[in-house]
Amino acid sequence: MVRRFLVPAICAAVASIAAAPSPSPAPSASPAASASPAAAASPSPVPLPYTAAPADPARGSALLKKAVAAHGGAAAIDGVRTVELTGTSGRTMGGQDPISMPSHTHIVMPNLYRNELMTQAGPIATLLNREGAYVLLNGGALPLPEAEGAALRATANRNLLTLLRTHDAAELRVARVGSARLPEGEVEMVEFQLAGQKTVLGIDSASGLVRQSIYEMPVGGAMGKVVATYSDYRPLSNGARYPFRSDGTVDGKPVFTSRLEKVVVNGAIDESLFALPSPPPAPSEPLPWASPSPSGQ
């Protein structure tokens, strides 16, 4: 039961969007079946949250350079080795009042990640270490299935500082793919493709700040379109700039929020945080709030 609720959210609704799971994709239908009322009632694809344009790699590269500069410059971003995020994480689940929980995230570049939420049932965490991907609860660890582990890894890699550190990666592919108008102004959409992971960033045309992160993740057996919107940018101790607020939707519905109180870069992090405890007893109830926000905050 825990696995069912734990990462589809970890991914998309990032919080076990276990709220209302998206419908599973229907099997291919014959021409006759396509005309049936049931087929006609199938949900429509979620439209893109921006106006698409032909891919422009040159403009995409220029916008990426502008974003790196706006967030503190390459030296500051490339020099990030550890990140500690402290704040609150909110979840909106279908048919229930929104909930808010204290959240604590530790990141050690390039592949250690732990996000812990203090829930009504006690602390619960998701973990990436050198052995794999896990959920931690009741003092023990449960390994995540391959798909959910991949979703958690993608979540960790989309933390803004982690993502921008890839700006010089030889295998990175970027291109401008569209534009949108947000309350803060015009943004240009830049698609990142790296290690099989695709993310579209909305980069402010004037300031260079990243205003949005858009991607797809599995939610309840189907793919959900996640849009995370960043705001409340503040300077960090190393000169980088980071958004202290993130608000997210899945398929157009509000699902998660993140409000940071403190961000520490290059502080000491005890790597024992990423060690595995012994297996826990099985929980008696599903835990639909146990995943970090898609932005990795």
Side-chain angles (χ1 to χ4, degrees):
M1 290 295 289
V2 162
R3 291 178 181 174
R4 174 186 171 190
F5 286 89
L6 264 183
V7 171
I10 225 177
C11 8
V14 114
S16 183
I17 263 193
S22 303
S24 300
S28 300
S30 65
S34 299
S36 68
S42 298
S44 302
V46 177
L48 285 174
Y50 59 88
T51 301
D56 185 342
R59 179 59 179 165
S61 295
L63 286 165
L64 174 56
K65 290 180 180 178
K66 187 170 186 176
V68 168
H71 288 82
I77 290 171
D78 295 348
V80 174
R81 296 292 176 263
T82 67
V83 184
E84 182 177 358
L85 308 165
T86 306
T88 57
S89 185
R91 305 290 187 265
T92 301
M93 297 180 286
Q96 302 180 33
D97 292 334
I99 58 175
S100 181
M101 300 158 286
S103 175
H104 202 175
T105 301
H106 293 86
I107 302 171
V108 176
M109 308 292 183
N111 53 19
L112 298 180
Y113 175 93
R114 175 181 173 130
N115 172 263
E116 181 171 287
L117 297 174
M118 181 56 69
T119 74
Q120 292 179 348
I124 182 168
T126 46
L127 172 71
L128 291 173
N129 64 16
R130 295 177 180 88
E131 286 73 47
Y134 305 86
V135 58
L136 310 180
L137 69 164
N138 295 343
L142 292 172
L144 291 173
E146 183 177 349
E148 294 180 353
L152 177 57
R153 198 162 284 106
T155 293
N157 289 340
R158 286 188 175 105
N159 172 275
L160 193 54
L161 290 175
T162 304
L163 189 63
L164 289 177
R165 284 177 85 249
T166 68
H167 64 93
D168 273 339
E171 64 273 28
L172 176 66
R173 299 291 178 267
V174 298
R176 181 191 185 275
V177 293
S179 62
R181 178 163 291 280
L182 302 181
E184 297 79 8
E186 187 79 16
V187 294
E188 297 186 67
M189 315 310 292
V190 177
E191 183 179 274
F192 279 56
Q193 294 194 56
L194 181 67
Q197 179 177 310
K198 182 187 294 185
T199 306
V200 175
L201 296 183
I203 299 176
D204 191 304
S205 303
S207 69
L209 292 177
V210 175
R211 299 295 186 187
Q212 282 189 335
S213 179
I214 302 170
Y215 48 92
E216 292 188 346
M217 275 190 159
V219 184
M223 297 303 290
K225 190 177 297 296
V226 179
V227 179
T229 300
Y230 306 130
S231 58
D232 190 15
Y233 269 90
R234 303 181 195 177
L236 304 181
S237 61
N238 70 334
R241 298 182 71 189
Y242 195 79
F244 275 56
R245 173 169 176 161
S246 175
D247 297 271
T249 64
V250 176
D251 293 342
K253 298 177 181 178
V255 168
F256 68 90
T257 61
S258 174
R259 304 290 183 268
L260 296 176
E261 299 162 4
K262 185 178 180 181
V263 177
V264 177
V265 291
N266 296 335
I269 293 181
D270 186 348
E271 290 203 15
S272 67
L273 284 169
F274 307 99
L276 292 180
S278 58
S284 58
E285 297 292 337
L287 304 175
W289 1 256
S291 47
S293 42
S295 62
Q297 288 189 320

